[in-house]
Amino acid sequence: MKKIAKWAMAAAFICGASVFTACSSDDDKNGNNDGTPALVLIAKTGSIDYFQQIESAFRDACKEKGLQALYYSTTGDNAYDEQVEAVKQLEQLKDKSIKGVIYAPSHGLNGETADAEVAAFAKKRGIPVILLDSKVDANSPLAGCPFFGTDDTAAGKAMAKEVTADKVAAFAVKNSPGIERAEAFKAVKPDADIYPCSENANSDIQAVIDQYDDFVFMNGTPLPAALDMLKKAGKNIYTFDIYDEFLDELIAGNPMFKGIIVQNTFLMTQKAVDAALAGAKEGEMIPTFFINGFNLYDDIVQPYLKFYNKPAAPVIDNLPEKLQGKWMMAEIDGKPVPTDSKQVLTYESGSKFYYSLSISAASDLNVWVNHCEGSYTINGNKLSQVVELPNANIKFMHSPTIISITDNNMFLIAYNETYVDGKSYRITKDLKERKVRVTHDYSADVIGTWEGRQTSDEDTYSDGLLHRWEFKADGTFVYYRLDNNGEWVADVNSMAEYFVDGVLMCMRWKNVGNDIEYRESWEIASIENGKMNWTAIRQKTDGSTYTATFQMSKVK
């Protein structure tokens, strides 16, 4: 599906020809000007988003450098004759000081190109030619010119790194970029199934929609027609190529729409302009990048938001109301947060919130953060949060930017700074975080005595023995052990405290005669019918994670 912008169609009527020209306001009808230097871009297929982005980037770059932008584009992929006509129009511009030509060759039905005409014009003017997007044949008179384009093999590998599942359905339109991307994707993810398709692949997708959870589109064109179908089925969606519908999904925070691999048209064009002005002898392949809901605020994404007339910083409606309640960390940069490194934040109306933190005893900050009161303000989508621990002389300052928020999930970019004794101690920034809403509070339900044993062998805490805890209403607990006679005996600790915030449960204790503090954190999965289940995400020394579980029964 090729998308034609209304303004591009209008340009055809204004210019009165199939070739879209610059139509600059300071050019007279004979093509003369006041001597302002110019730069030429002969592109192709001006009706599609990709080359419209290139035109936008080209005009902006020329304006920034004080140049006239002479832009020519064709009405289709196989319209080399229009590029030949563009060269003829350029030859008539007698008084223009043209600094160079950027050229994206279009082919005729029999493979013809305007390479010879472009080369002859450049040689006559003594100016460089920079190739953009599409290479020329080895025997072309432009074969030695610098080339700036996208490495589709690298792009396919880049997408493979973003897709978390191994078994996926990848749909590739049967053209050169689609095939090259699909082959590279398959090389990294051999369990992926590749489906060649047309530009409108509704029936192809429908035939296999029940077989996969993850769908990848090697060209963006088949996706818009099938987007509603995939969303209704709850599938995970990744795509190459960017359209306004895709940005709408990311801005809306649809968790099923994972993101877009983008060919960096704006950077590619900027580099081509710089190369033309510098008379460069070498080009380069411009890397792709991944747009997801977290990086909509990145500078690299802003030109695309502007191009599609999307808000540069989408403001979330009724954010204060949507924020109310309890939230717990779930992921950072797409990876699960270990249970002994989680935050729980409870937002009340106005400016007050409560902050709890599970933190291991081995941490450099030996703090116990149990429902500490803090204050916050909201400015647009940005929060400013402050929590002070006067007894420890520590202050936490959080400045997250919320990207999207639903009933159950909140996505944000975090910026955190910790102060110790009034001085900045640690800064963490650009963390892509997902928080989940907590709807259960088990703080009252845990009170009582519970008995059980570890049910996961992998956990380092597991000893295979029965354990018994008595959790008291004052936030202390008693741990019991079995003596040699099989009787439960209370351990004597110099300190034994716990707290529950929502589903997060944190304990700390010191044994008598030993000043070492021990800590353990769990998440309460359920308390029902006298049964309590704990779960925890633990991290190994190699950075991988696993899930530990604990089950116990209430002692009557």
Side-chain angles (χ1 to χ4, degrees):
M1 184 185 76
K2 291 181 180 177
K3 302 179 66 177
I4 303 176
K6 293 180 180 178
W7 64 264
M9 296 181 67
F13 293 105
I14 295 171
C15 297
S18 59
V19 178
F20 300 143
T21 64
C23 295
S24 300
S25 60
D26 53 357
D27 291 340
D28 66 28
K29 63 181 179 180
N30 297 315
N32 299 314
N33 70 352
D34 59 2
T36 303
L39 195 62
V40 175
L41 174 54
I42 302 176
K44 60 182 179 181
T45 324
S47 61
I48 66 172
D49 296 30
Y50 181 81
F51 279 103
Q52 290 169 15
Q53 292 166 14
I54 286 174
E55 179 185 359
S56 176
F58 174 69
R59 293 189 183 280
D60 286 347
C62 288
K63 183 178 181 181
E64 179 183 338
K65 298 179 184 299
L67 301 171
Q68 285 195 6
L70 303 181
Y71 180 82
Y72 300 83
S73 183
T74 70
T75 54
D77 290 326
N78 303 113
Y80 91 99
D81 53 329
E82 293 179 357
Q83 294 192 327
V84 172
E85 178 61 28
V87 176
K88 291 180 180 179
Q89 291 187 25
L90 286 170
E91 290 173 340
Q92 297 173 13
L93 304 182
K94 304 298 184 182
D95 299 333
K96 287 195 180 294
S97 173
I98 296 176
K99 298 297 183 180
V101 176
I102 302 171
Y103 173 53
S106 179
H107 292 76
L109 296 177
N110 297 313
E112 313 95 325
T113 68
D115 294 7
E117 288 81 0
V118 171
F121 172 76
K123 183 177 180 180
K124 182 178 180 180
R125 293 289 182 113
I127 56 177
V129 175
I130 305 296
L131 299 173
L132 185 72
D133 177 67
S134 301
K135 293 182 177 180
V136 296
D137 293 336
N139 59 356
S140 167
L142 299 174
C145 295
F147 171 73
F148 292 83
T150 300
D151 186 336
D152 284 307
T153 295
K157 293 178 180 178
M159 178 62 91
K161 293 180 180 179
E162 298 293 343
V163 177
T164 56
D166 292 322
K167 185 68 172 178
V168 302
F171 287 83
V173 173
K174 292 174 285 187
N175 58 17
S176 178
I179 293 170
E180 190 173 341
R181 295 167 185 172
E183 289 176 347
F185 185 86
K186 178 79 171 177
V188 177
K189 287 192 175 291
D191 292 333
D193 293 326
I194 308 297
Y195 294 93
C197 65
S198 63
E199 289 191 348
N200 189 340
N202 265 3
S203 59
D204 298 330
I205 298 168
Q206 184 70 63
V208 298
I209 196 168
D210 294 330
Q211 300 178 29
Y212 306 90
D213 293 323
D214 294 73
F215 285 74
V216 179
F217 293 86
M218 297 299 165
N219 320 70
T221 49
L223 180 53
L227 192 55
D228 288 341
M229 176 174 62
L230 289 161
K231 287 166 59 180
K232 185 176 180 180
K235 304 303 180 179
N236 296 319
I237 305 167
Y238 304 79
T239 185
F240 284 84
D241 302 340
I242 184 169
Y243 295 120
D244 51 4
E245 299 99 323
F246 306 166
L247 283 173
D248 285 339
E249 295 297 328
L250 294 178
I251 291 171
N254 184 346
M256 291 177 293
F257 197 94
K258 299 301 182 182
I260 313 162
I261 284 285
V262 180
Q263 301 174 80
N264 200 337
T265 50
F266 288 89
L267 178 62
M268 181 174 68
T269 306
Q270 177 67 61
K271 284 184 172 291
V273 168
D274 291 341
L277 296 178
K281 302 300 181 184
E282 299 289 336
E284 66 179 283
M285 303 301 285
I286 306 302
T288 56
F289 65 96
F290 195 67
I291 299 181
N292 58 30
F294 293 112
N295 65 348
L296 287 170
Y297 292 81
D298 289 357
D299 290 341
I300 197 171
V301 182
Q302 296 307 304
Y304 297 90
L305 295 175
K306 179 181 177 183
F307 177 82
Y308 287 103
N309 196 29
K310 306 297 180 185
V315 176
I316 299 172
D317 293 334
N318 302 318
L319 179 56
E321 291 80 6
K322 294 177 180 178
L323 190 65
Q324 300 305 297
K326 196 178 295 291
W327 299 86
M328 184 170 69
M329 295 172 69
E331 295 177 352
I332 290 180
D333 291 337
K335 298 179 180 179
V337 178
T339 302
D340 61 1
S341 300
K342 290 203 170 185
Q343 303 170 353
V344 176
L345 299 98
T346 307
Y347 294 96
E348 294 188 352
S349 59
S351 61
K352 185 167 64 175
F353 77 105
Y354 293 91
Y355 181 60
S356 294
L357 177 64
S358 60
I359 187 168
S360 70
S363 170
D364 57 340
L365 291 176
N366 185 22
V367 292
W368 184 246
V369 186
N370 172 11
H371 294 82
C372 292
E373 184 176 327
S375 61
Y376 73 96
T377 59
I378 301 177
N379 183 13
N381 289 3
K382 187 173 182 179
L383 272 66
S384 297
Q385 304 176 163
V386 180
V387 178
E388 296 192 49
L389 309 178
N391 294 335
N393 207 14
I394 291 174
K395 179 168 67 174
F396 299 112
M397 297 189 68
H398 304 155
S399 301
T401 299
I402 299 177
I403 305 303
S404 66
I405 185 169
T406 66
D407 289 343
N408 300 313
N409 288 277
M410 174 164 46
F411 296 88
L412 55 89
I413 300 174
Y415 179 96
N416 305 322
E417 188 165 7
T418 301
Y419 290 83
V420 177
D421 294 328
K423 297 181 180 179
S424 180
Y425 181 78
R426 180 187 296 124
I427 295 176
T428 55
K429 58 183 179 179
D430 298 329
L431 300 177
K432 302 170 183 177
E433 185 179 329
R434 180 172 70 91
K435 295 183 187 293
V436 294
R437 186 183 292 278
V438 179
T439 56
H440 291 83
D441 187 349
Y442 291 110
S443 55
D445 300 307
V446 301
I447 296 173
T449 303
W450 299 84
E451 177 182 303
R453 70 175 75 243
Q454 200 89 352
T455 55
S456 52
D457 296 333
E458 193 174 11
D459 194 9
T460 55
Y461 292 105
S462 179
D463 55 15
L465 302 176
L466 276 175
H467 296 261
R468 181 177 281 190
W469 287 271
E470 179 186 1
F471 297 109
K472 299 182 178 182
D474 64 358
T476 64
F477 70 89
V478 179
Y479 174 71
Y480 296 87
R481 58 181 174 82
L482 284 169
D483 65 11
N484 294 333
N485 297 320
E487 299 290 336
W488 288 104
V489 178
D491 256 11
V492 180
N493 298 315
S494 60
M495 177 187 67
E497 299 176 353
Y498 82 97
F499 71 82
V500 175
D501 194 346
V503 299
L504 182 66
M505 182 166 194
C506 300
M507 295 179 283
R508 66 173 179 170
W509 68 94
K510 289 181 180 180
N511 298 326
V512 171
N514 188 343
D515 198 40
I516 298 175
E517 183 176 310
Y518 300 92
R519 295 190 182 188
E520 195 170 326
S521 299
W522 292 87
E523 295 170 49
I524 302 173
S526 64
I527 300 179
E528 190 175 12
N529 298 325
K531 301 290 184 181
M532 178 161 59
N533 291 287
W534 289 351
T535 184
I537 298 171
R538 306 290 189 209
Q539 189 170 39
K540 298 180 181 179
T541 55
D542 63 0
S544 62
T545 59
Y546 64 94
T547 300
T549 57
F550 209 121
Q551 187 179 73
M552 61 201 74
S553 301
K554 197 163 190 178
V555 178
K556 297 181 180 179

